[in-house]
């Protein structure tokens, strides 16, 4: 039995609005593999009673097990330490880190709470697969509770250069706790190398043959680039043209070419620079006015965090300035929508767009890039303009690559994509779709779980407390001294 654990589970609706790459990627493989997917439900309620799970329901061959996480600690865990501490550091924005002692306490408490809840699935044939930065210490908590079965961890975000992690309070304790995992997976070779470098230079632990060998046992480091269900998404895109929103979009465009951006509203996605690049393109090539329009969908995200509120205001102001500079009575260069859409509608948008603009400043993979490629009409495909700092760039290397910090360079590449000949578009797309088929979400799931089943900790079992960071009281004193 494979138990997959993430901060939240996706809703079961067949056509839910976009809410994150991890959720949309996991849903189909859990449905087909027989795995149990455990995480919080959509809302936050105080856990009550002995059983922490609010509901366990069938999902195809698998199941969803939603848990009520402790309401008192959830904000400090999620908006606090996870997304105001770890997320900015993992995306190389230490200037945005804002965490407190209470945030760290809550992060640790929620990880410990989830470990206790998972004891429900403690069977001899169980394998635990923990997802993402929300649960760096969950493996160590499971070991503390006596779990000896294989426990794997996959990081969906980048792992930054080791000096960047210095910005995170208790970074050494967190990484030491991660060594409770038998297998630690990354999106790219660079992420894996950065983690190796941290372990070697910050913890003084040797890494040989991609294995971290410590007194606690061994943790294997490996690369598992996440993919999508290519055939399913291509079929969804072909059907999407008939959806009302897609039909209305096509009608409104008339002969105007569509450039499309789809992102969560997040500072890592480079949305502001993307808008500036379109502005710069129209200033440099005024003949493109009325010939092209950018539809930027920015799905609301983490609105309780100050940095996200500031970003929302910044983008709304920037869009207003650019539209004010270039718009005419019957044409607007930028259509900015701060809301989510159903997956089938998005697939139709992707297929409609002549250019897919995916330009994050830093990203673990970015499944939008892969979805855009999968959605294209093979006889007349659009062009993917892709940031070289997205994990997807390591695979989709025939996309039009851009440096998202180079506004002029992006403007030129967008212009180039708009006039690219059909033969070149087909050649680039054909190479990319082939790579997507060889690295699907199904192969990602199978590759990770197969390798996890084959790894075992090589050290003699030792007290589980060796995996744990220092106790809360000592941690709080240490944190206070760094202020």
């Amino acid at each position: 039995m494979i138990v997959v654990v993430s901060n939240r589970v996706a809703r079961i609706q067949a056509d839910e609005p976009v809410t994150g790459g991890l959720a949309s990627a996991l849903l189909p493989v859990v449905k087909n593999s027989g795995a149990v997917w455990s995480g919080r439900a959509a809302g936050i309620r105080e856990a009550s009673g002995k059983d922490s799970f609010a509901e366990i329901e069938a999902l195809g061959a698998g199941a969803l097990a939603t848990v009520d996480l402790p309401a008192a600690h959830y904000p400090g865990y999620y908006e606090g330490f996870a997304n105001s501490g770890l997320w900015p550091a993992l995306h190389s924005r230490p200037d945005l880190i804002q965490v407190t002692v209470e945030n760290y306490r809550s992060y640790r408490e929620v990880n410990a709470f989830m470990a206790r809840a998972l004891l429900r699935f403690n069977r001899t044939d169980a394998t635990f697969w923990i997802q993402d930065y929300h649960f760096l210490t969950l493996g160590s908590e499971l070991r503390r509770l006596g779990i000896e079965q294989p426990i794997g961890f996959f990081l969906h975000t980048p792992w930054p250069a080791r000096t960047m992690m210095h910005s995170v309070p208790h970074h050494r304790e967190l990484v030491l706790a991660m060594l409770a995992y038998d297998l630690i997976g990354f999106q790219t070779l660079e992420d894996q190398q950065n983690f190796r470098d941290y372990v070697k230079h910050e913890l003084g632990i040797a890494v040989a043959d991609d294995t971290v060998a410590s007194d606690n046992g061994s943790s294997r480091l490996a690369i598992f680039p996440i993919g999508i269900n290519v055939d399913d998404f291509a079929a969804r895109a072909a059907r999407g043209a008939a959806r009302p929103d897609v039909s209305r979009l096509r009608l409104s465009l008339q002969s105007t070419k569509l450039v499309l951006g789809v992102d969560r509203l997040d500072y890592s996605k480079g949305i502001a620079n993307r808008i500036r690049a379109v502005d710069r393109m129209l200033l440099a090539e005024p003949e493109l006015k009325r010939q092209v329009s950018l539809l930027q969908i920015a799905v609301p995200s983490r609105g309780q965090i100050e940095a996200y509120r500031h970003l929302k205001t910044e983008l709304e102001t920037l869009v207003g300035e650019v539209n004010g500079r270039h718009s005419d009575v019957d044409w607007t260069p930028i259509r900015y929508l701060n809301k989510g859409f159903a997956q089938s509608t998005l697939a139709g948008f992707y297929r409609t767009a002549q250019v897919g603009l995916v330009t994050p400043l830093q990203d673990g993979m970015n499944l939008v890039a892969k979805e855009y490629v999968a959605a294209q009409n093979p006889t007349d495909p659009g062009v993917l303009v892709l940031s070289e700092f997205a994990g997807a760039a390591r695979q989709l290397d025939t996309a039009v690559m851009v440096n998202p910090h180079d506004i002029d360079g992006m403007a030129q590449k967008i212009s180039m994509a708009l006039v690219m000949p059909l033969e070149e578009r087909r050649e680039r797309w054909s190479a990319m779709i082939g790579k997507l088929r060889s690295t699907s979400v199904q192969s990602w799931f199978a590759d990770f779980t197969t390798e996890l089943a084959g790894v075992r900790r090589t050290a003699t079992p030792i007290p589980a407390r060796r995996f744990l960071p220092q106790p809360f009281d000592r941690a709080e004193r240490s944190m206070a001294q760094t202020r």
Side-chain angles (χ1 to χ4, degrees):
M1 177 179 65
I2 300 171
V3 182
V4 180
V5 184
S6 64
N7 172 63
R8 69 174 182 84
V9 298
R11 293 186 297 245
I12 300 179
Q13 286 93 329
D15 203 19
E16 63 169 1
V18 170
T19 51
L22 187 156
S24 60
L26 281 178
L27 197 62
V29 289
V30 169
K31 193 173 183 178
N32 296 324
S33 68
V36 175
W37 183 7
S38 177
R40 73 170 177 88
I44 301 299
R45 297 178 298 177
E46 187 63 65
S48 61
K50 187 176 180 180
D51 190 350
S52 300
F53 286 97
E55 189 173 13
I56 298 179
E57 54 187 312
L59 177 66
L64 297 181
T66 53
V67 59
D68 286 334
L69 295 176
H73 286 289
Y74 192 84
Y77 148 79
Y78 184 74
E79 283 98 1
F81 200 80
N83 287 310
S84 296
L86 290 172
W87 179 270
L90 293 169
H91 291 84
S92 302
R93 288 298 305 271
D95 56 304
L96 296 179
I97 293 175
Q98 292 185 354
V99 293
T100 66
V101 169
E102 291 74 21
N103 294 157
Y104 184 60
R105 174 192 285 273
S106 292
Y107 182 85
R108 293 271 302 277
E109 290 283 4
V110 170
N111 273 250
F113 183 93
M114 180 60 84
R116 294 192 296 273
L118 292 172
L119 288 177
R120 176 175 184 144
F121 304 110
N122 184 19
R123 299 181 352 191
T124 56
D125 65 340
T127 296
F128 296 88
W129 185 7
I130 314 304
Q131 306 290 323
D132 228 4
Y133 62 100
H134 309 90
F135 291 124
L136 296 185
T137 63
L138 179 52
S140 67
E141 295 289 354
L142 287 170
R143 298 295 186 204
R144 184 179 64 81
L145 295 174
I147 299 294
E148 297 180 353
Q149 293 91 329
I151 310 176
F153 175 83
F154 184 78
L155 183 68
H156 291 259
T157 71
W159 186 272
R162 64 185 176 92
T163 53
M164 196 65 60
M165 288 303 295
H166 290 180
S167 306
V168 180
H170 311 294
H171 55 93
R172 285 175 54 86
E173 299 155 9
L174 292 168
V175 179
L176 278 169
M178 290 176 68
L179 299 185
Y181 292 113
D182 297 287
L183 177 63
I184 303 176
F186 302 93
Q187 300 274 26
T188 69
L189 177 61
E190 182 181 7
D191 298 330
Q192 182 199 43
Q193 290 175 335
N194 285 341
F195 189 86
R196 286 170 56 113
D197 187 54
Y198 181 97
V199 169
K200 177 180 177 181
H201 292 95
E202 301 300 324
L203 303 182
I205 301 174
V207 183
D209 297 325
D210 295 326
T211 298
V212 181
S214 67
D215 291 341
N216 293 337
S218 60
S219 300
R220 178 160 177 75
L221 313 180
I223 303 164
F224 302 93
I226 193 170
I228 63 171
N229 187 327
V230 180
D231 293 335
D232 178 77
F233 205 87
R236 192 182 291 246
R239 297 191 304 267
R243 294 183 68 88
D245 282 338
V246 180
S247 297
R248 290 193 295 118
L249 174 63
R250 289 177 182 272
L251 184 63
S252 72
L253 288 170
Q254 299 182 359
S255 61
T256 302
K257 290 187 175 181
L258 178 65
V259 178
L260 177 65
V262 177
D263 309 85
R264 279 191 311 102
L265 185 62
D266 192 284
Y267 49 78
S268 68
K269 301 302 181 181
I271 301 173
N273 281 4
R274 187 181 308 166
I275 293 169
R276 293 185 182 105
V278 171
D279 180 35
R280 195 72 54 87
M281 179 183 71
L282 294 174
L283 289 171
E285 303 181 61
E287 65 274 14
L288 288 177
K289 292 184 178 183
R290 307 177 65 86
Q291 303 301 311
V292 60
S293 180
L294 168 66
L295 171 59
Q296 176 60 59
I297 296 171
V299 182
S301 175
R302 301 167 189 164
Q304 300 302 314
I305 299 176
E306 182 180 5
Y308 289 80
R309 295 196 301 272
H310 287 170
L311 175 64
K312 183 175 184 293
T313 301
E314 176 194 359
L315 291 177
E316 290 169 350
T317 301
L318 181 60
V319 168
E321 291 173 353
V322 174
N323 281 342
R325 187 156 38 245
H326 299 290
S327 294
D328 210 332
V329 292
D330 58 349
W331 171 76
T332 301
I334 299 175
R335 308 179 187 194
Y336 177 76
L337 301 179
N338 189 217
K339 63 179 183 178
F341 287 87
Q343 280 282 358
S344 291
T345 299
L346 278 180
F349 289 167
Y350 292 145
R351 198 174 178 92
T352 300
Q354 283 78 17
V355 176
L357 203 49
V358 183
T359 58
L361 306 179
Q362 200 79 33
D363 221 332
M365 179 53 65
N366 196 297
L367 295 182
V368 168
K370 297 189 173 188
E371 291 171 349
Y372 178 79
V373 172
Q376 296 310 297
N377 180 349
T379 63
D380 187 21
V383 180
L384 175 63
V385 177
L386 180 60
S387 166
E388 61 189 67
F389 301 119
R394 284 33 169 206
Q395 296 172 297
L396 306 181
D397 54 3
T398 57
V400 175
M401 296 295 176
V402 296
N403 175 352
H405 302 282
D406 179 1
I407 307 300
D408 288 317
M410 273 204 295
Q412 293 168 5
K413 293 293 180 68
I414 296 169
S415 176
M416 181 185 85
L418 287 167
V419 297
M420 185 176 291
L422 176 60
E423 183 177 357
E424 182 179 353
R425 287 189 275 124
R426 286 176 176 169
E427 288 178 358
R428 289 174 180 265
W429 177 83
S430 180
M432 289 188 286
I433 198 69
K435 291 184 177 179
L436 290 190
R437 293 188 188 283
S438 66
T439 56
S440 67
V441 68
Q442 293 89 345
S443 62
W444 169 77
F445 190 92
D447 290 347
F448 191 100
T449 53
T450 298
E451 184 151 354
L452 179 58
V455 297
R456 284 288 187 269
R457 305 196 71 80
T458 57
T460 301
I462 59 176
R465 64 177 179 274
R466 292 285 298 278
F467 291 111
L468 296 173
Q470 57 185 313
F472 291 141
D473 56 347
R474 290 173 54 201
E476 291 175 2
R477 290 198 302 269
S478 174
M479 191 171 185
Q481 290 170 1
T482 65
R483 291 181 172 178

